Amino acid sequence: MKVFSKAILALSVTFVFYQKSTAQNNIPKDYLSKEFHAGRREALRKLMPANSVTVIFAYPERVFSNDVNYVYHANPDLYYFSGYKEPDAALLVFKEMQGSGDTAYNEILYVRRRNPQQEQWTGRRLGVEGAKTRLGFKRVYNSNEFSKLPVDLKKFAAVVYDDLPEAAGGELQEMIASFKAKAGVKNIDKGLMDDVKVVMAYANIHNLDRILNYIKPRIQDEAHKSEPLLQQLSTGMDSTTLENVKAKLKAQYGASGLFTEYTTALRGIKQPEEIALMKKSAQLSAIAHAEVMKAVKPNMSERELEGIMLYVHKNYGAEDEGYPPIVGVGANGCILHYEENNETMLNNQLVLMDVGSEYHGYSADVTRTVPANGKFTEEQKAIYQVVYDAQEQAINMCKAGIRYGDLEKKTEEVLAAGLIKLGVIRDAKELRTYYPHGVSHHVGLDVHDKGSYAGNLEEGMIITVEPGIYIPAGSKCDKKWWNIGVRIEDDILIGKDKFTNLSADAPRTWQAVEKMAAQSSIFDGAKFPPLK
Ligand code: GLY
Ligand code: MN
Ligand code: MN
């Protein structure tokens, strides 16, 4: 065969593949709709000040190994406002119409270029046409055209944007460089900016100590020292002074804070389409926990339990995990975000499993703690009951109008009283040794989702309720409590006068856990040939 005809053949093979690869049947039908994303852009516009634009870039791709990238995870904000899930993209949402007449527009989407050769290797791309038909955008360009942006960014009173990735690579990096030049972006130390945003978005008088603890490792950096407002926080203050400091930070860091403010306000209240996906994600994760309760045996490994969870998630069509699965037995259960999962024998210990799926972008966050042999010891049961009581009482408070901070107060009260009664601690002040985290966070597109912690719970919020007690060996209490780590975590939808536990399909009381553990599992007796 002549080289010439080979080339033609190669081209036509590519063409045939390209044609075929655009069609795909039997994909899920329950993704967020283009109307949902358009509605979110409209809601964002309503919050934006006059004469402003919001600019959101895709997350960069990340190398996993030679020639291999990590599975790409879209920037949740870009996905929320556009539905676009690929890298090398940017969305601009304008407050007012730009241009005039039939061609006027108030949003532009820049997308990754289509490329038949690349698509044969790494999969289909939506491209400009796909973004128009599938996502409903009217003005879509390839990302290499960003430098020809048809509007002058310097004319706006506010350009609202999030942190810009520093080493983005490829066309994303070029877009960001072009954006910085066009918008006249000033360089602010990233660590300082992150902490300023945390304070602006989350700080209130109840959680100030915890926020300061979080900032503490950086407070002596040059950048942090140059910001007297952050330094002032650590001098102690009442709520009026704190609000004053927050207002000053807001005035100074302006648009950078606005992005967090708007996305926190919007994403913190879930829309019906999001609630539908969260219900699925939480329910299927709860079913996975129930299956593991049935399957767990003392001779199994942490990794096997993780594998059963993942199998159930995939069986229901979940694309991913919301976070690295935590399966920790005994002492490992006392490490809050233990991720190694490499203990090969559970023996007769407690296993703490914090595992939640990501279904169409929405993450569940569910924890159950189960005895590997199906029966709690007296000590395990006693600690479990204290954690359960705290969780039960905090969940029962959940409804619109309750102060977020009151969930934490109630949890601390119940946990401290329980541990004092058992003789694990003598004074409520010692509680934080064994309960070092908060009781709740928003959950959604991010497992630690955007949402307000400052005021009251509102209808449409979805939050976790997750008290825990962790007593590592060597703790200053009777040895009989050592290596007991218990967390119980559920995903709670806040209603006007009620709550809905979205992960209720995983048993919670110790009695229900033991009952589930006594049942047989489809994984019982699963055996594979030994490795040679
Ligand atoms: N799985 C992380 C958390 O519970 O917050
Ligand atoms: Mn959580
Ligand atoms: Mn969790």
Side-chain angles (χ1 to χ4, degrees):
M1 202 181 279
K2 285 186 287 196
V3 172
F4 177 67
S5 53
K6 242 189 189 169
I8 294 284
L9 183 69
L11 272 176
S12 59
V13 166
T14 309
F15 183 68
V16 168
F17 178 87
Y18 184 51
Q19 288 291 305
K20 274 197 177 156
S21 68
T22 55
Q24 200 188 8
N25 300 319
N26 302 323
I27 57 172
K29 306 237 176 332
D30 57 345
Y31 294 115
L32 295 172
S33 66
K34 60 183 174 193
E35 291 75 22
F36 166 85
H37 300 293
R40 298 293 79 207
R41 294 195 292 281
E42 212 38 58
L44 173 62
R45 261 183 216 106
K46 287 212 174 90
L47 295 177
M48 288 162 56
N51 191 22
S52 66
V53 55
T54 295
V55 186
I56 309 174
F57 289 97
Y59 277 173
E61 294 185 275
R62 297 263 180 241
V63 173
F64 173 77
S65 168
N66 189 25
D67 275 351
V68 179
N69 281 346
Y70 279 98
V71 171
Y72 185 68
H73 193 274
N75 173 353
D77 285 315
L78 180 63
Y79 180 62
Y80 183 78
F81 290 111
S82 72
Y84 192 72
K85 291 187 276 194
E86 297 175 32
D88 289 333
L91 171 69
L92 287 90
V93 176
F94 301 97
K95 173 79 175 182
E96 294 90 4
M97 293 304 271
Q98 306 296 305
S100 57
D102 287 352
T103 56
Y105 55 92
N106 63 1
E107 52 201 27
I108 304 178
L109 182 65
Y110 286 90
V111 298
R112 187 165 63 148
R113 264 185 291 174
R114 293 208 63 181
N115 177 331
Q117 281 75 30
Q118 284 289 318
E119 288 182 52
Q120 183 174 17
W121 286 90
T122 53
R124 299 171 183 84
R125 297 179 177 192
L126 202 55
V128 170
E129 286 314 309
K132 286 181 180 172
T133 54
R134 302 258 291 273
L135 302 179
F137 283 89
K138 294 206 177 67
R139 250 184 207 242
V140 187
Y141 301 108
N142 283 318
S143 52
N144 62 329
E145 293 180 275
F146 191 91
S147 59
K148 292 188 266 168
L149 186 71
V151 281
D152 174 11
L153 292 179
K154 293 217 170 81
K155 76 172 187 179
F156 293 101
V159 179
V160 181
Y161 60 94
D162 198 5
D163 289 342
L164 300 169
E166 270 148 34
E171 283 181 359
L172 180 61
Q173 187 143 337
E174 283 166 28
M175 278 199 287
I176 289 171
S178 173
F179 167 71
K180 280 180 163 174
K182 285 175 191 295
V185 169
K186 288 193 221 89
N187 283 325
I188 300 175
D189 179 84
K190 187 176 169 334
L192 172 65
M193 200 58 239
D194 284 348
D195 289 341
V196 165
K197 282 184 185 172
V198 166
V199 171
M200 287 195 296
Y202 302 122
N204 61 48
I205 204 66
H206 306 290
N207 65 15
L208 188 59
D209 283 348
R210 267 204 289 139
I211 288 193
L212 287 175
N213 256 342
Y214 168 76
I215 293 174
K216 217 189 223 157
R218 297 171 293 282
I219 202 79
Q220 291 307 322
D221 291 355
E222 283 312 306
H224 282 67
K225 274 205 232 153
S226 71
E227 182 40 82
L229 289 166
L230 275 195
Q231 302 294 328
Q232 194 188 334
L233 282 181
S234 31
T235 61
M237 52 184 53
D238 58 25
S239 61
T240 318
T241 328
L242 175 61
E243 288 313 313
N244 220 336
V245 167
K246 281 170 69 176
K248 283 187 188 158
L249 285 171
K250 217 165 170 178
Q252 191 169 325
Y253 292 92
S256 318
L258 287 181
F259 185 81
T260 307
E261 185 182 320
Y262 299 157
T263 50
T264 299
L266 295 173
R267 286 179 49 192
I269 308 293
K270 270 61 181 177
Q271 303 299 305
E273 282 192 45
E274 299 182 277
I275 292 172
L277 292 179
M278 278 301 298
K279 279 185 175 167
K280 290 184 188 179
S281 193
Q283 194 192 355
L284 73 90
S285 301
I287 291 171
H289 276 275
E291 194 58 46
V292 165
M293 284 179 197
K294 295 190 256 174
V296 64
K297 308 278 178 303
N299 65 352
M300 289 174 88
S301 67
E302 291 175 347
R303 192 77 69 206
E304 274 177 284
L305 300 189
E306 178 186 351
I308 291 174
M309 293 273 191
L310 267 56
Y311 178 81
V312 179
H313 294 177
K314 301 291 180 202
N315 193 267
Y316 283 96
E319 293 89 341
D320 216 331
E321 303 306 300
Y323 48 94
I326 298 165
V327 180
V329 71
N332 298 338
C334 299
I335 302 169
L336 301 180
H337 281 182
Y338 172 76
E339 293 169 4
E340 289 153 279
N341 302 351
N342 61 359
E343 179 62 49
T344 56
M345 193 63 79
L346 304 175
N347 290 321
N348 294 326
Q349 304 178 92
L350 266 191
V351 199
L352 185 154
M353 292 168 284
D354 184 345
V355 189
S357 81
E358 186 186 298
Y359 184 84
H360 298 1
Y362 284 83
S363 182
D365 190 4
V366 182
T367 308
R368 290 295 184 265
T369 308
V370 178
N373 62 8
K375 284 266 171 218
F376 288 92
T377 64
E378 285 312 307
E379 287 76 22
Q380 291 168 351
K381 194 185 291 177
I383 299 293
Y384 190 95
Q385 188 63 41
V386 170
V387 176
Y388 175 86
D389 288 343
Q391 199 211 21
E392 180 68 3
Q393 292 199 39
I395 290 177
N396 281 321
M397 287 169 68
C398 285
K399 62 178 181 184
I402 291 294
R403 282 188 64 81
Y404 211 115
D406 288 347
L407 295 183
E408 191 67 69
K409 255 203 244 154
K410 171 60 71 183
T411 309
E412 286 176 359
E413 242 172 66
V414 179
L415 290 177
L419 290 193
I420 289 172
K421 200 164 163 204
L422 292 177
V424 178
I425 59 176
R426 263 177 269 155
D427 191 295
K429 286 200 199 86
E430 296 169 58
L431 174 67
R432 282 289 167 190
T433 315
Y434 301 112
Y435 170 53
H437 57 78
V439 71
S440 174
H441 56 82
H442 292 264
V443 62
L445 282 173
D446 287 298
V447 60
H448 292 175
D449 209 29
K450 292 187 171 181
S452 167
Y453 294 89
N456 291 343
L457 296 180
E458 292 175 52
E459 194 175 353
M461 286 181 169
I462 302 181
I463 62 169
T464 64
V465 177
E466 50 171 312
I469 293 291
Y470 316 90
I471 314 179
S475 296
K476 285 194 199 125
C477 60
D478 193 317
K479 263 181 160 164
K480 67 180 183 177
W481 305 114
W482 287 4
N483 289 331
I484 296 180
V486 175
R487 176 161 69 253
I488 316 175
E489 176 172 27
D490 283 270
D491 300 337
I492 307 296
L493 169 64
I494 305 300
K496 189 157 167 280
D497 304 302
K498 58 169 193 176
F499 68 86
T500 310
N501 185 348
L502 305 183
S503 42
D505 285 9
R508 252 179 350 111
T509 63
W510 69 261
Q511 294 92 336
V513 170
E514 288 194 350
K515 202 167 158 201
M516 186 61 79
Q519 292 188 29
S520 55
S521 160
I522 53 167
F523 293 96
D524 287 346
K527 270 214 173 355
F528 301 97
L531 298 179
K532 294 191 182 81

